Amino acid sequence: AMMVHIDREHPELFKNLDQKMPLKPPSPAKRTKVGRALQAKISASSSAGSRSKIIGHLQGNIHSVELIDNGPAIRVRIEIKEGQLTHYDLDIDAAAKFIQGAGNVESASAELKILECFEDSCELGTFIQSDGQEKITAERCIVIPYIKRADKNKFKSLAAECYKLQKNTEPFMIKREFIFSKVAQKYIGKQFFFFPGRGYYPIDRSKVAPEWFELPHTKTYKEDQAAMFLETEVHTYAQVGNVWVDNDIGPIDIQAAPQLSEIRISNETDGWFILDPRYQVGDTEFSMAELMQHLSKRKRRYFKKGKTWIKVPTFLQEFDWQIDETEKFIKVDALGLMRLKAASGGFDQFVGSRKLLDQIREKTEFKPAGPPPSLSHTNLDLRDYQVTGYEWLWWLYQNNLHGLIADEMGLGKTHQAMALLSAIVKPDCKFLVIAPTTVLDHWYDKIVEFSPSLKPLLYHGSRRLSSFSDFKRSHHTLVTSYGVVLRDNKQLTEIKWDAVVLDEAHYVKNSDTATYKAVCKLNARIRICLTGTPMENNLGELKNIFDFLVPGYLGSDEYFKREFIAPIVLHQDPEREHALLKLIHPFKLRRVKDNVLKDLPPKIEDKRSCSLSEDQVKLYQNILALKGKPLIDQLENEDSSVPYLHVFATLNLLKQICDHPALVIENADYEKYESGKFELLKEILSQAMGSNHKVVIYSQYLKMIDIIKKYLDSLGIANVTLTGQTRNRGKVVKEFQTNPNCKVYIGSLLAGGIGIDLTAASVVIHYDRWWNASKEAQATDRVHRIGQHSNVQVFKLITKGTLEEKIDALINQKKDLFDKFMNKDEEVFKHFTRQQIIDLLEF
């Protein structure tokens, strides 16, 4: 009685004695006579521990114990003194502890005496069950150990053997009782769950997060949404509590990328192959035709077979596969065969008669059955590897396929293309050769020299339209530029070309340009692309070239980005790299000089360094202070956009200063200013002239080309120059190649780096660095190519302590895909990070 009195009148004493279980006092009690109960409630936030101890000490004075409104709370009446009662109302947690500590109280009501406080814990989680063939329901539940007794309760419940999913563990099967009723969730305390008629279960809170209470109580998913829930969203549920999966569903099995197990060949008709590609997932087998019908008729992305959900492969969704009349097989042409072969991993998955297998091999693998047509009517004398290229092109032509010759510069792609045209040529044949304006004469001259039966016509210039009717009447080959194809697209698309050849095909690497769209409209039996650098910036450029060659073969741009660019470029995924290589392999031929030209003399590359002169240092520092510092401040602000145009203009100024001060000073006399790099050039030239070498010098700046020419003229060294403004390119090149007194060729990298032979030289000097190393390699290969008999010395001039050193280092870092996808090299500047640009702008 004293303890009750202290609790009522001075609750702070108990609070101070019980720091670990803070005590919130109940409402002040009023003493009543027998029959008048004390109306005091203990909230869920109060400490049941102190009161349980008080009641425990007064067990001999307990008058009665009973459930309040059938539970879970209980009321304990205590006789303070004879004739006077008080009571405590205990919530779920306090009631459980009271029963746990008090045992079987004689004065307890009958309904209370049957209740237990169990040792086995209950759990809070989610139960997933099937409600129909492709319909599932996720429902929050309370899970208690299974008890084999048939007691009736007011809860919606189910006893079942299910799979239990837990974070970072394998699912396992166990039998439990699941309670789903929303009402039941009102019986959840902080520590115990009350089950009417049974008692109190301790709650295992270690596997449940507060977010569990925010999940929808019940949610139903149908068809594809059901599969997507099981594939992805179920993991969100598993993060906040246990997940139990009904045996009709579990263990969850979503096959996101089923693999073709075999491709059964039925027959072949008019070039179409009737196939039955099969998938095997565990013990479940199904056909590609079955998936295609499911996709086309029901517009569904998931296919359910037994308990297994199969995600229809994206390459089935992406491409226009055809199902035959029986709806049991698919029918494919040569392109479809190649897609299936790449998807299945090789030829081993194809099964059928020997005859049909041989036919498929002929369609998908370059293994010429016999020699291609003789080239005796031409002046072509092909090397062995060029003969292989010619045979490959003929194999493409025979199978109505198209291809890319990506041989390294200098290996004679032009000759291999001429060989194919010469094999095809007939009286009514029409060929279209498209090339950059700078190499049109080169193409025309080569055809006249090596294959005059192709009857070329140079279609260029303002008076070209008048010659078009003459071409139709008496010529086979139209040689024209990309610009003309764009302007005369209507006339050129009206002709059914026997072959269209795109030289330097990287000129149409951007699918957004009008020129690219114009060449894609051309109608041809075979399309051939020639380029040593089909990719200069990214894999998307390679796809654009393939979209010209074999439209749709690599899927949509979005599909290609998702399936190849993102995993390869961002995640360096070797499996996706291999998959792409398998896809493009039949349409690509790539050889490098080191492998096929054993007789080609060595090429020695040497980076030569120099320092800025005092004149250059002053200019360099001024540009950095006036333009570089404001740009750095802007770049360091992550919220601002990168001002690429201003950055590029500033970096371009710095590069010109590294070349010579006269490039940035208006009307400057170059002799009045000093350049460390120009002095280095003089030294190399002196050594080369002393050894009687011919020299090729490249620069991207016309002003620098002019300075070098003036210097050579002042020394009396005969030279020629070639830039984008040069009219008679052939005459310039011929002068350098044939005149022994002409010692130096000076050219711009873009204008003089493609489509010409400079094999008379044995020294190459890259006076300034290009943003893209592949452009430099192309230009070097004008010298180091077929016809070269001398060792080639290549000099790359770099100014120490400037952005040129940093550009060189960054170029070398950006070659990770170079050898994998046909000599790919980054266009460094456009892919710089903010920090890399800042580094370039610092001195």
Side-chain angles (χ1 to χ4, degrees):
M2 177 62 71
M3 293 172 72
V4 173
H5 173 74
I6 292 172
D7 180 40
R8 295 297 190 186
E9 303 299 332
H10 301 284
E12 69 277 0
L13 294 178
F14 280 115
K15 182 177 181 182
N16 292 334
L17 290 172
D18 197 359
Q19 293 293 339
K20 293 183 179 178
M21 303 181 75
L23 179 63
K24 181 177 178 183
S27 304
K30 295 182 181 179
R31 292 173 176 76
T32 62
K33 292 185 179 181
V34 178
R36 295 184 62 189
L38 177 67
Q39 301 300 316
K41 299 253 180 119
I42 301 173
S43 68
S45 63
S46 68
S47 170
S50 294
R51 283 163 174 71
S52 296
K53 289 176 183 176
I54 295 170
I55 296 169
H57 283 296
L58 299 175
Q59 280 194 28
N61 293 352
I62 293 177
H63 179 271
S64 62
V65 184
E66 62 185 3
L67 286 172
I68 301 175
D69 297 329
N70 299 316
I74 66 173
R75 176 165 295 164
V76 181
R77 287 193 176 88
I78 299 171
E79 187 174 12
I80 298 173
K81 62 182 180 178
E82 189 175 352
Q84 286 190 341
L85 297 177
T86 186
H87 72 259
Y88 282 100
D89 288 347
L90 305 182
D91 66 2
I92 295 174
D93 296 332
K97 289 184 177 180
F98 174 78
I99 293 176
Q100 198 174 39
N104 193 358
V105 181
E106 292 184 5
S107 54
S109 63
E111 60 183 357
L112 192 62
K113 283 183 178 181
I114 65 172
L115 299 181
E116 298 179 49
C117 190
F118 297 95
E119 291 184 3
D120 293 332
S121 300
C122 72
E123 299 173 78
L124 307 180
T126 304
F127 183 78
I128 300 173
Q129 60 182 320
S130 176
D131 186 10
Q133 178 65 14
E134 296 186 3
K135 181 179 174 184
I136 63 169
T137 299
E139 194 166 1
R140 277 198 298 161
C141 62
I142 302 152
V143 186
I144 61 176
Y146 175 69
I147 299 176
K148 190 176 181 181
R149 66 184 192 192
D151 55 343
K152 291 184 178 180
N153 61 77
K154 60 182 178 181
F155 296 153
K156 173 189 171 186
S157 64
L158 170 73
E161 195 171 39
C162 299
Y163 285 93
K164 183 179 181 181
L165 306 183
Q166 286 179 287
K167 193 167 51 176
N168 303 324
T169 62
E170 290 295 320
F172 58 93
M173 185 173 279
I174 195 167
K175 192 164 188 176
R176 285 290 187 266
E177 190 166 358
F178 301 89
I179 302 162
F180 306 108
S181 174
K182 284 186 179 180
V183 176
Q185 301 199 26
K186 296 178 182 178
Y187 289 61
I188 299 173
K190 285 190 172 181
Q191 297 169 288
F192 290 88
F193 164 67
F194 176 70
F195 193 114
R198 293 192 195 176
Y200 299 85
Y201 287 89
I203 300 174
D204 182 358
R205 291 269 181 175
S206 65
K207 299 183 181 70
V208 67
E211 291 82 3
W212 178 82
F213 293 91
E214 299 173 11
L215 294 174
H217 185 269
T218 304
K219 193 164 184 179
T220 299
Y221 302 86
K222 298 178 181 179
E223 298 179 338
D224 279 3
Q225 285 72 31
M228 287 187 284
F229 170 81
L230 294 175
E231 184 179 22
T232 58
E233 195 174 343
V234 71
H235 301 297
T236 303
Y237 280 72
Q239 293 291 323
V240 298
N242 285 324
V243 175
W244 307 80
V245 183
D246 185 48
N247 192 29
D248 289 341
I249 302 174
I252 295 173
D253 185 13
I254 305 290
Q255 294 291 325
Q259 298 296 311
L260 285 166
S261 58
E262 66 176 14
I263 302 170
R264 301 170 186 170
I265 312 167
S266 176
N267 58 74
E268 182 270 337
T269 306
D270 297 328
W272 290 89
F273 288 82
I274 310 303
L275 307 175
D276 181 19
R278 311 290 297 182
Y279 293 91
Q280 182 82 33
V281 177
D283 296 331
T284 304
E285 185 183 73
F286 49 94
S287 70
M288 182 173 165
E290 201 175 352
L291 284 183
M292 291 306 303
Q293 290 186 64
H294 186 76
L295 184 66
S296 61
K297 292 182 179 179
R298 303 185 64 187
K299 309 301 180 187
R300 296 276 305 283
R301 299 303 173 93
Y302 290 83
F303 172 71
K304 193 164 186 283
K305 195 80 170 177
K307 289 186 182 181
T308 302
W309 293 80
I310 294 99
K311 191 173 186 178
V312 179
T314 50
F315 90 103
L316 287 191
Q317 302 174 27
E318 183 71 20
F319 303 106
D320 186 24
W321 301 93
Q322 296 186 44
I323 304 176
D324 78 333
E325 297 77 9
T326 68
E327 298 188 342
K328 294 179 180 179
F329 302 93
I330 65 166
K331 51 188 291 188
V332 298
D333 56 6
L335 289 181
L337 284 174
M338 289 177 178
R339 281 200 198 101
L340 283 173
K341 184 181 172 186
S344 63
F347 194 76
D348 292 343
Q349 273 73 17
F350 286 83
V351 295
S353 69
R354 174 69 63 182
K355 179 182 176 182
L356 288 172
L357 285 170
D358 288 342
Q359 283 183 286
I360 287 181
R361 282 189 183 275
E362 289 173 10
K363 292 285 185 181
T364 61
E365 296 181 358
F366 167 50
K367 290 182 180 177
S374 169
L375 298 176
S376 58
H377 62 292
T378 74
N379 300 319
L380 291 165
D381 183 17
L382 301 181
R383 292 173 175 247
D384 289 344
Y385 73 88
Q386 292 174 327
V387 171
T388 301
Y390 166 45
E391 291 173 341
W392 177 70
L393 288 172
W394 181 252
W395 173 78
L396 291 176
Y397 181 76
Q398 290 291 92
N399 288 285
N400 295 310
L401 299 173
H402 316 274
L404 162 67
I405 295 188
D407 285 347
E408 196 173 32
M409 289 290 175
L411 293 185
K413 295 185 286 293
T414 303
H415 288 69
Q416 294 171 73
M418 284 192 294
L420 175 68
L421 301 187
S422 300
I424 298 172
V425 69
K426 292 182 294 193
D428 58 346
C429 271
K430 297 297 177 187
F431 306 124
L432 178 62
V433 174
I434 308 168
T437 303
T438 53
V439 296
L440 293 180
D441 289 333
H442 174 78
W443 261 98
Y444 180 83
D445 292 343
K446 292 292 183 185
I447 293 174
V448 170
E449 180 181 358
F450 292 102
S451 192
S453 64
L454 295 179
K455 296 182 182 178
L457 174 71
L458 192 59
Y459 185 68
H460 199 257
S462 57
R463 299 180 181 177
R464 65 184 179 276
L465 288 174
S466 60
S467 65
F468 199 64
S469 57
D470 180 42
F471 164 72
K472 289 181 177 180
R473 184 172 55 254
S474 55
H475 293 269
H476 293 312
T477 308
L478 194 71
V479 180
T480 192
S481 69
Y482 288 100
V484 169
V485 171
L486 175 61
R487 289 187 288 274
D488 296 359
N489 201 239
K490 185 176 183 298
Q491 294 93 321
L492 297 176
T493 53
E494 289 174 351
I495 296 177
K496 176 68 182 293
W497 302 98
D498 291 275
V500 169
V501 178
L502 265 59
D503 189 26
E504 304 297 344
H506 53 274
Y507 270 65
V508 288
K509 62 191 178 185
N510 187 346
S511 61
D512 293 329
T513 64
T515 303
Y516 178 85
K517 294 169 183 173
V519 298
C520 286
K521 292 178 183 177
L522 297 169
N523 189 358
R525 160 77 185 272
I526 184 171
R527 296 183 286 276
I528 302 296
C529 285
L530 310 177
T531 176
T533 53
M535 289 187 303
E536 294 180 309
N537 303 318
N538 52 62
L539 282 174
E541 294 173 355
L542 175 65
K543 179 182 185 293
N544 292 338
I545 289 178
F546 267 79
D547 280 348
F548 164 75
L549 291 172
V550 276
Y553 177 70
L554 293 180
S556 65
D557 288 347
E558 186 59 38
Y559 170 82
F560 190 78
K561 287 176 185 175
R562 183 178 67 250
E563 295 294 318
F564 297 109
I565 293 180
I568 292 171
V569 177
L570 300 181
H571 306 296
Q572 291 77 51
D573 186 336
E575 290 188 6
R576 299 316 298 158
E577 283 182 2
H578 187 57
L580 180 56
L581 285 168
K582 286 193 299 183
L583 273 171
I584 65 177
H585 174 73
F587 306 97
K588 166 189 72 76
L589 190 65
R590 166 72 171 174
R591 279 81 58 88
V592 296
K593 284 185 288 190
D594 289 345
N595 293 338
V596 298
L597 286 186
K598 301 301 182 183
D599 56 341
L600 193 67
K603 176 180 66 175
I604 303 167
E605 295 198 356
D606 187 10
K607 293 177 183 177
R608 292 289 182 91
S609 297
C610 60
S611 299
L612 293 173
S613 68
E614 290 185 9
D615 293 331
Q616 289 172 301
V617 169
K618 290 177 185 177
L619 288 168
Y620 203 94
Q621 289 177 334
N622 286 340
I623 293 298
L624 288 181
L626 292 173
K627 296 179 179 293
K629 182 63 169 64
L631 286 171
I632 289 175
D633 292 340
Q634 185 174 348
L635 289 164
E636 287 178 339
N637 178 9
E638 294 286 346
D639 295 329
S640 67
S641 59
V642 178
Y644 283 109
L645 289 177
H646 296 296
V647 170
F648 184 77
T650 302
L651 295 178
N652 207 34
L653 271 176
L654 295 174
K655 286 177 69 179
Q656 291 180 71
I657 292 169
C658 290
D659 274 10
H660 200 290
L663 268 64
V664 297
I665 299 174
E666 194 171 350
N667 300 319
D669 181 354
Y670 82 92
E671 293 181 325
K672 293 182 179 180
Y673 297 92
E674 187 178 349
S675 162
K677 188 185 287 187
F678 194 54
E679 294 304 311
L680 177 59
L681 175 69
K682 291 178 182 179
E683 180 184 324
I684 296 172
L685 280 172
S686 175
Q687 294 172 0
M689 295 300 101
S691 301
N692 200 30
H693 289 292
K694 283 198 172 193
V695 180
V696 169
I697 304 173
Y698 289 113
S699 174
Q700 60 186 292
Y701 300 113
L702 296 179
K703 225 174 169 181
M704 194 66 236
I705 291 172
D706 187 52
I707 289 172
I708 296 171
K709 178 172 176 52
K710 287 179 179 178
Y711 171 71
L712 293 171
D713 289 344
S714 71
L715 298 178
I717 298 174
N719 63 87
V720 293
T721 61
L722 194 153
T723 68
Q725 300 168 354
T726 303
R727 291 293 180 189
N728 195 338
R729 291 165 51 90
K731 183 178 179 181
V732 170
V733 173
K734 186 176 181 181
E735 172 70 11
F736 179 71
Q737 286 285 86
T738 60
N739 184 351
N741 296 317
C742 184
K743 295 295 185 181
V744 181
Y745 164 98
I746 321 159
S748 65
L749 194 68
L750 292 180
I754 57 173
I756 57 175
D757 293 336
L758 300 172
T759 50
S762 56
V763 176
V764 179
I765 301 173
H766 291 283
Y767 190 81
D768 37 56
R769 301 305 305 278
W770 194 248
W771 292 110
N772 192 325
S774 65
K775 289 287 194 296
E776 291 179 348
Q778 286 180 16
T780 299
D781 285 338
R782 299 299 99 206
V783 177
H784 191 244
R785 61 191 292 113
I786 297 172
Q788 179 58 260
H789 302 293
S790 304
N791 293 353
V792 176
Q793 181 76 42
V794 182
F795 295 98
K796 296 180 180 181
L797 310 190
I798 301 170
T799 310
K800 290 189 294 185
T802 71
L803 82 165
E804 287 192 329
E805 256 187 341
K806 298 171 183 176
I807 288 172
D808 181 64
L810 286 168
I811 286 173
N812 292 332
Q813 292 171 12
K814 297 286 185 177
K815 293 180 178 178
D816 50 343
L817 296 181
F818 192 86
D819 295 323
K820 292 174 185 170
F821 295 102
M822 300 172 299
N823 211 18
K824 184 261 187 187
D825 184 26
E826 294 286 342
E827 183 177 326
V828 178
F829 174 70
K830 292 182 180 178
H831 298 276
F832 286 161
T833 64
R834 283 177 183 267
Q835 188 55 52
Q836 286 171 334
I837 296 174
I838 290 171
D839 290 343
L840 289 172
L841 292 169
E842 291 176 337
F843 189 36

